[in-house]
């Protein structure tokens, strides 16, 4: 049985258990008569802005998953792929941990580069060739 305390994202990054809230709802899909009786799906809610994780990770998380967040800054991760509540609970926690892990990776700084002179020449040559082909497509009108 898994431990449902703090959410360990990486070696140095942990989300305390008090920041997470879970709601159990009925899942759609297969399950026979059981699906109407048992609330096995999990909705894991985490308030990003009120979290204790570093501000730069919060900002990257909001940039990556802002469209999935509610207006008050909460992210809701839903898991209903398993028939058992503990497995869905673990799946939701794992998914949230992966999302935070992805946000914790600092993106590489882009180094601006210029195209080489040869590549510019080849591009312009190809554009001129393409323009010539298109200019030959015009209406052919007989001259009287």
């Amino acid at each position: 049985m898994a431990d449902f305390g703090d959410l360990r994202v990486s070696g140095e990054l942990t989300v305390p258990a008090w920041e997470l809230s879970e709601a159990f709802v009925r899942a759609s899909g297969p399950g026979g008569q059981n699906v109407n009786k048992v609330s096995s799906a999990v909705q894991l809610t985490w308030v990003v802005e009120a979290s204790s994780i570093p501000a730069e990770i919060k900002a990257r998380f909001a940039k990556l998953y802002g469209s999935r967040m509610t207006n008050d800054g909460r992210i809701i991760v839903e898991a209903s792929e398993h028939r058992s509540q503990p497995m869905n609970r673990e799946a939701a926690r794992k998914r949230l941990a992966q999302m935070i892990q992805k946000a914790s990776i600092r993106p590489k700084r882009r180094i601006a580069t210029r195209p080489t002179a040869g590549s510019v020449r080849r591009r312009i040559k190809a554009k001129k060739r393409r323009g010539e082909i298109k200019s030959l497509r015009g209406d052919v009108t007989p001259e009287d």
Side-chain angles (χ1 to χ4, degrees):
M1 189 89 175
D3 176 35
F4 296 114
D6 293 349
L7 180 65
R8 187 168 240 17
V9 178
S10 65
E12 63 278 344
L13 191 61
T14 304
V15 177
W18 61 267
E19 291 183 6
L20 303 170
S21 65
E22 296 171 329
F24 301 99
V25 293
R26 289 190 185 138
S28 62
Q33 295 171 338
N34 199 42
V35 78
N36 298 321
K37 298 184 292 189
V38 180
S39 298
S40 61
V42 178
Q43 288 181 336
L44 182 66
T45 306
W46 179 51
V47 182
V48 180
E49 285 303 312
S51 178
S52 60
I53 64 169
E56 66 180 58
I57 296 176
K58 284 186 211 178
R60 280 197 296 267
F61 190 91
K63 189 175 181 183
L64 283 170
Y65 303 107
S67 61
R68 291 186 56 183
M69 289 170 62
T70 61
N71 290 336
D72 56 343
R74 292 182 301 137
I75 188 93
I76 300 169
V77 179
E78 198 164 319
S80 61
E81 54 266 13
H82 303 287
R83 283 189 180 187
S84 75
Q85 195 180 79
M87 288 178 77
N88 280 331
R89 206 172 178 190
E90 187 64 33
R93 292 170 67 86
K94 197 174 287 184
R95 205 172 307 143
L96 180 61
Q98 288 172 346
M99 291 166 75
I100 298 169
Q101 180 73 41
K102 186 175 179 184
S104 68
I105 298 169
R106 185 179 285 122
K108 289 183 180 176
R109 223 177 105 247
R110 184 187 178 279
I111 299 167
T113 58
R114 296 183 65 188
T116 62
S119 69
V120 171
R121 274 196 304 274
R122 286 189 298 274
R123 183 180 65 85
I124 291 171
K125 185 178 173 186
K127 283 171 72 77
K128 285 187 177 178
R129 191 177 323 121
R130 189 78 184 138
E132 288 170 12
I133 290 169
K134 287 186 174 190
S135 69
L136 295 173
R137 289 185 190 158
D139 287 344
V140 180
T141 53
E143 294 183 27
D144 295 344

